[in-house]
Amino acid sequence: MARLSSPIEQLKSHYQIVVIGSGYGGGITASRMARAGQEVCVLERGKEFQPGELDEKHQLIKPGEYPDTQSEALRELQVDLPELHTGSRTALYDIHVNEDISVFVGCGLGGTSLLNANVALPADPRVFQLQEWPAEFQNDPDILTDGYKRAREMLKPTPYPDETRTDKFPSLAKLNALKKSADFLQEPFDRTPINVNFDELPANLNHVGVEQHPCVGCGDCMTGCNYRAKNTVLMNYLPDARNHGAKIFTQVSARYLSRENGRWLVHYQRLDIGQDEIDPPISADIVVLAAGSLGSTEILLRSKNNQLALSHKVGEGFTGNGDFLGFAYNCDEEINGIGFGPHPPVENGKERKKVGPCITGIIDMRNRQEVVDGFLIEDGTIAGAFASVLPGLFSAAAALLGQDTDSGVRDWIKEREREADSLVLGAFHGAVRNTQLLLTMCHDDGQGKMKLEDDRLRIHWPNVGKQPIFKQVAQTQEKTTAALGGTYLKDPVTNKITGEDLVTVHPLGGCIMADNSEKGVVNHKGQVFSGTEGTAVYDSLYVSDGSVIPRPLGVNPLLTISALAERCCVLMAEDRGWKFDYDLPSRPQPETPIMTANKKPGVSFRETMTGGFSLGETDPRSGEQSGNVAGTKLSLHCDINIQDIYGFMEDPQHFAPIQAWIDFAPLGMNLPASRAIFNLFRPGEDPKTKYFVYEAAFEVNGESYYLAGKKRVHDDRGFDMWADITTLFTLLHKGKDDSGP
């Protein structure tokens, strides 16, 4: 699988559309806008992770880049604590610890789709008729219905295969256990549609030309699929975007947005080199924020602090989607819910018993008279990378916080025997092997608030875990555990010792959609309100991710986020008269080789030059001194792309086109050049003198200006080369060339 991302050095200074984030919202937007023929750039703060390479029998012949051991997983862990941030800012597993609710998200190309449980269930239609949704959204349900359809076409959700395919996909112990619990509760049970491939594909290629293989049942979905089976955005929407010309850059962290001369400026940091300084911004005609509920909200909050007019509601309406985690520990029957980790599916000729995808079944209790009273329970797996710590962790937590749902001396003895097996033999035996993970989604009150404190995002939601719905959920999870004869254990974080704090893997809200800016941050199209009152918007600034959802959904949100993103793309295109198709399959564009018989190698680089500058001076040296005294500086930023280095060297003028933009406070910041040139070693009046020439034409409020700069390279006494090639003597002219005043 060829990498989708391009080297950061190829990042240009301007794009028509910049998409910030690469999860469901970002991947979908990039795909559809590229299909509309637009110039699309995707910025992702994380790295690009590749799955492994497999043979014709779907066995790994080269390990993937997703961690499968504890040491590897810890290296890919970053934790944002109230007082500090630990771990690499590009680490895959991103945990935000807050006083009231903590959040787990993914950091990588593909966003949290790399680590989620793949469940593609639509929300109950009644959810969209609740008062939080804008009237225009409610009045046009067909676009969302079409969005669900389009998302399914790309993500390919399907349930775990039934009994007709037991030769390759045997019955799963954890799925059978959940069915037993559903029967005990007398509630509906079903297999969940999940974005996982179970089929042999022609030539092992999927509908966008990416190599995929059938699921091996390793159970490690939540640390990243190394077996090319999980239908993450990395396997469909993002390669489709690349197929249609989108450019993708990783380890680029967007910090905030500003507005200059009718264009958006995206201020960012490069994380690949550990750089704290913010690079010169790139500009865009349209910006789509798709960095997730935390990321998009943080960017808008920081933009607001940098004087961008926005609604006062930025950061409000945060919800954990009613996430509530529990465990049925040390049950009387096998669950087999621990992932393979570093162990191969077939070892010494013996096939390991399949764990199955992370979530495969659902106890669906959403059919209540009031939609907000409904919830669901799903099975889960624990990644094998963490298997070694589970026996001790569960044993201690159960002794301190657990509630045994059955009794009797014989039962107690068996439970202790299983516990000893786990402690001695490991997590694939005994009590941990017989532990069912229970994940519930319900309807919380959605009253969380996100703020910037010391320029870091914090979440506040006092007493969130004490809401009555969570007590009801805990009681039902305990009954679910009783059906299996286990010890019920709420998520160890969610207990009276920690003040009933919660953990969510489904953060929503923060940039919620509404009828006006008094109620929300974006309109029903995803366009950002441009003030604190009314319905006026920035028509070229969008948010398209889970942050726009104004309330909990009570179900896994990925399919609804995807449908909303599809809807946003349709409306964005309609407003501009753009057309795009949904034709599949799509295939990668042929790679242009760097060097062929007819094409020589090239080179590209970025350069920024800054110095004192004073209007009215005719001598650059005195102008620099005057500018330094006055504190007035001019910066010239250049992207220089020499496509044929040999031709460039053979050309006596050594000419190359460049992209350039200028920062100069008296005229404006980030002024893009309409045209610019670069000459290397242009001959001078003296045979020993050569010039580096930089020239750029630009306009400000209808006035034309021309910046003409030269670096004078002359062999004087001593070592003067460095001073020569780093000093640009610059004059600014009125008019379209250097003949103007």
Side-chain angles (χ1 to χ4, degrees):
M1 181 175 174
R3 292 197 181 272
L4 301 178
S5 55
S6 299
I8 186 63
E9 289 74 21
Q10 295 180 14
L11 182 67
K12 298 195 302 181
S13 61
H14 178 79
Y15 291 89
Q16 186 175 9
I17 300 176
V18 170
V19 180
I20 299 172
S22 65
Y24 294 104
I28 289 170
T29 302
S31 165
R32 300 318 187 194
M33 292 301 100
R35 282 174 172 261
Q38 308 308 306
E39 182 190 37
V40 177
C41 164
V42 178
L43 302 180
E44 165 57 49
R45 69 184 173 105
K47 298 173 289 189
E48 179 174 356
F49 291 84
Q50 287 281 304
E53 294 182 14
L54 284 73
D55 61 19
E56 65 279 359
K57 295 182 179 180
H58 313 302
Q59 300 298 312
L60 280 177
I61 55 177
K62 181 181 178 182
E65 295 175 354
Y66 297 103
D68 58 14
T69 67
Q70 183 175 324
S71 59
E72 291 174 350
L74 290 175
R75 283 196 295 271
E76 287 297 337
L77 177 65
Q78 58 174 308
V79 183
D80 193 50
L81 297 160
E83 301 299 329
L84 61 100
H85 183 282
T86 65
S88 167
R89 290 175 62 193
T90 61
L92 180 58
Y93 314 123
D94 188 3
I95 301 175
H96 295 253
V97 178
N98 297 279
E99 183 177 348
D100 308 308
I101 185 168
S102 297
V103 183
F104 173 80
V105 295
C107 177
L109 186 62
T112 305
S113 78
L114 302 175
L115 309 177
N116 67 5
N118 327 300
V119 177
L121 282 166
D124 187 321
R126 295 178 296 168
V127 168
F128 301 115
Q129 297 305 313
L130 296 173
Q131 63 180 2
E132 292 92 343
W133 299 89
E136 289 181 275
F137 176 89
Q138 294 179 329
N139 293 337
D140 195 359
D142 291 343
I143 304 182
L144 186 66
T145 300
D146 288 344
Y148 275 126
K149 175 186 174 184
R150 298 305 181 188
R152 289 188 181 100
E153 288 174 352
M154 288 294 283
L155 297 171
K156 304 292 185 185
T158 187
Y160 183 79
D162 60 20
E163 290 74 12
T164 62
R165 298 183 64 186
T166 53
D167 55 330
K168 292 185 178 179
F169 300 98
S171 178
L172 301 177
K174 69 188 185 78
L175 184 61
N176 295 336
L178 193 71
K179 173 67 165 60
K180 184 175 180 179
S181 294
D183 292 342
F184 180 80
L185 295 172
Q186 296 183 327
E187 297 286 357
F189 170 83
D190 206 350
R191 298 182 184 216
T192 53
I194 48 179
N195 300 334
V196 176
N197 177 54
F198 298 104
D199 297 319
E200 300 275 354
L201 302 176
N204 294 321
L205 293 178
N206 71 8
H207 51 299
V208 297
V210 173
E211 181 182 342
Q212 280 203 268
H213 295 264
C215 175
V216 299
C218 71
D220 286 328
C221 302
M222 296 192 75
T223 46
C225 179
N226 280 315
Y227 290 92
R228 298 178 176 268
K230 186 175 175 179
N231 296 333
T232 67
V233 180
L234 189 70
M235 306 299 278
N236 38 70
Y237 279 111
L238 286 172
D240 186 72
R242 177 70 182 268
N243 292 351
H244 289 86
K247 296 298 182 182
I248 300 171
F249 300 93
T250 59
Q251 302 184 77
V252 179
S253 176
R255 301 290 290 166
Y256 68 96
L257 308 175
S258 63
R259 187 85 165 148
E260 291 280 354
N261 299 313
R263 288 182 170 182
W264 290 104
L265 305 184
V266 181
H267 302 262
Y268 68 93
Q269 290 176 317
R270 285 183 58 175
L271 302 184
D272 59 323
I273 54 177
Q275 180 175 318
D276 291 330
E277 297 281 333
I278 295 180
D279 275 2
I282 61 173
S283 61
D285 299 322
I286 297 172
V287 170
V288 181
L289 282 174
S293 290
L294 275 59
S296 292
T297 302
E298 181 177 357
I299 291 169
L300 283 189
L301 285 170
R302 192 172 287 112
S303 302
K304 188 177 180 182
N305 288 348
N306 282 275
Q307 309 308 312
L308 184 66
L310 296 169
S311 166
H312 290 322
K313 292 291 183 179
V314 178
E316 296 189 13
F318 176 82
T319 167
N321 199 39
D323 280 2
F324 193 88
L325 188 65
F327 299 92
Y329 170 66
N330 198 1
C331 298
D332 292 338
E333 56 191 88
E334 182 177 333
I335 303 296
N336 193 31
I338 310 300
F340 291 178
H343 305 287
V346 178
E347 196 168 15
N348 299 323
K350 184 179 180 181
E351 186 172 0
R352 295 178 67 86
K353 185 179 293 186
K354 290 186 186 295
V355 175
C358 183
I359 290 177
T360 52
I362 177 177
I363 303 174
D364 197 343
M365 292 171 277
R366 293 180 293 167
N367 56 353
R368 302 302 192 251
Q369 183 173 354
E370 298 293 333
V371 65
V372 295
D373 295 331
F375 56 91
L376 53 82
I377 298 177
E378 296 168 338
D379 63 320
T381 62
I382 303 174
F386 305 106
S388 62
V389 302
L390 295 177
L393 180 65
F394 273 122
S395 178
L400 183 64
L401 304 167
Q403 302 171 41
D404 197 351
T405 61
D406 55 5
S407 59
V409 175
R410 181 175 298 180
D411 179 74
W412 185 87
I413 293 173
K414 288 183 177 180
E415 288 175 349
R416 300 292 76 75
E417 288 176 347
R418 291 195 296 267
E419 206 159 43
D421 283 346
S422 287
L423 291 168
V424 174
L425 301 176
F428 299 104
H429 304 269
V432 177
R433 180 198 61 187
N434 289 21
T435 295
Q436 177 85 292
L437 187 152
L438 304 169
L439 178 61
T440 291
M441 275 142 278
C442 61
H443 294 269
D444 57 44
D445 64 16
Q447 295 299 306
K449 294 184 179 181
M450 291 182 275
K451 300 179 180 180
L452 283 183
E453 298 174 3
D454 296 326
D455 202 39
R456 298 172 62 231
L457 189 73
R458 311 312 311 160
I459 304 173
H460 299 280
W461 199 354
N463 299 316
V464 55
K466 295 180 180 179
Q467 296 178 37
I469 186 64
F470 293 122
K471 182 177 181 180
Q472 183 181 350
V473 167
Q475 291 172 346
T476 306
Q477 286 188 349
E478 185 175 353
K479 293 177 183 177
T480 303
T481 303
L484 307 175
T487 295
Y488 176 59
L489 181 63
K490 285 197 294 187
D491 179 359
V493 174
T494 309
N495 59 72
K496 293 181 180 179
I497 297 174
T498 61
E500 307 289 349
D501 297 344
L502 294 180
V503 176
T504 181
V505 294
H506 298 133
L508 302 174
C511 305
I512 60 175
M513 65 168 64
D515 292 310
N516 53 56
S517 63
E518 292 92 337
K519 297 180 180 179
V521 180
V522 303
N523 67 7
H524 77 103
K525 296 180 180 181
Q527 293 170 315
V528 177
F529 290 121
S530 57
T532 58
E533 298 179 350
T535 59
V537 296
Y538 299 108
D539 62 3
S540 56
L541 176 59
Y542 292 80
V543 181
S544 184
D545 55 27
S547 69
V548 306
I549 296 176
R551 58 159 296 107
L553 298 173
V555 72
N556 311 69
L558 81 82
L559 193 64
T560 299
I561 293 172
S562 300
L564 287 169
E566 291 277 13
R567 179 184 186 275
C568 180
C569 290
V570 169
L571 296 173
M572 190 189 309
E574 284 181 355
D575 285 347
R576 293 164 175 79
W578 297 342
K579 303 290 184 183
F580 57 83
D581 61 56
Y582 297 98
D583 293 345
L584 292 170
S586 72
R587 289 290 181 259
Q589 297 176 350
E591 291 289 336
T592 302
I594 295 176
M595 184 173 183
T596 67
N598 299 317
K599 185 174 176 65
K600 304 298 190 294
V603 63
S604 63
F605 59 95
R606 172 170 287 185
E607 186 172 13
T608 291
M609 292 155 284
T610 299
F613 202 91
S614 180
L615 292 174
E617 296 278 0
T618 57
D619 178 12
R621 292 189 184 276
S622 60
E624 178 193 20
Q625 293 172 357
S626 299
N628 286 333
V629 171
T632 306
K633 293 184 179 294
L634 184 146
S635 296
L636 173 65
H637 312 282
C638 302
D639 285 337
I640 300 171
N641 184 17
I642 303 170
Q643 296 184 351
D644 178 0
I645 191 66
Y646 294 137
F648 178 81
M649 292 165 63
E650 292 166 1
D651 177 6
Q653 294 295 319
H654 308 304
F655 166 82
I658 65 174
Q659 287 189 316
W661 65 104
I662 295 153
D663 292 331
F664 185 45
L667 296 181
M669 306 301 285
N670 201 57
L671 301 171
S674 56
R675 56 187 172 86
I677 61 170
F678 170 68
N679 291 108
L680 179 67
F681 292 129
R682 178 188 288 184
E685 64 283 352
D686 182 338
K688 294 184 178 181
T689 302
K690 304 289 184 182
Y691 290 100
F692 291 12
V693 177
Y694 299 76
E695 297 184 1
F698 59 98
E699 291 189 356
V700 181
N701 298 324
E703 289 276 358
S704 296
Y705 294 89
Y706 197 81
L707 190 77
K710 291 182 179 180
K711 294 179 179 178
R712 181 178 180 272
V713 182
H714 183 80
D715 186 15
D716 298 312
R717 286 187 176 182
F719 182 74
D720 65 323
M721 175 65 77
W722 181 251
D724 283 356
I725 65 174
T726 59
T727 303
L728 186 71
F729 297 96
T730 313
L731 290 171
L732 182 65
H733 302 265
K734 273 193 173 182
K736 298 183 180 295
D737 55 37
D738 60 3
S739 66

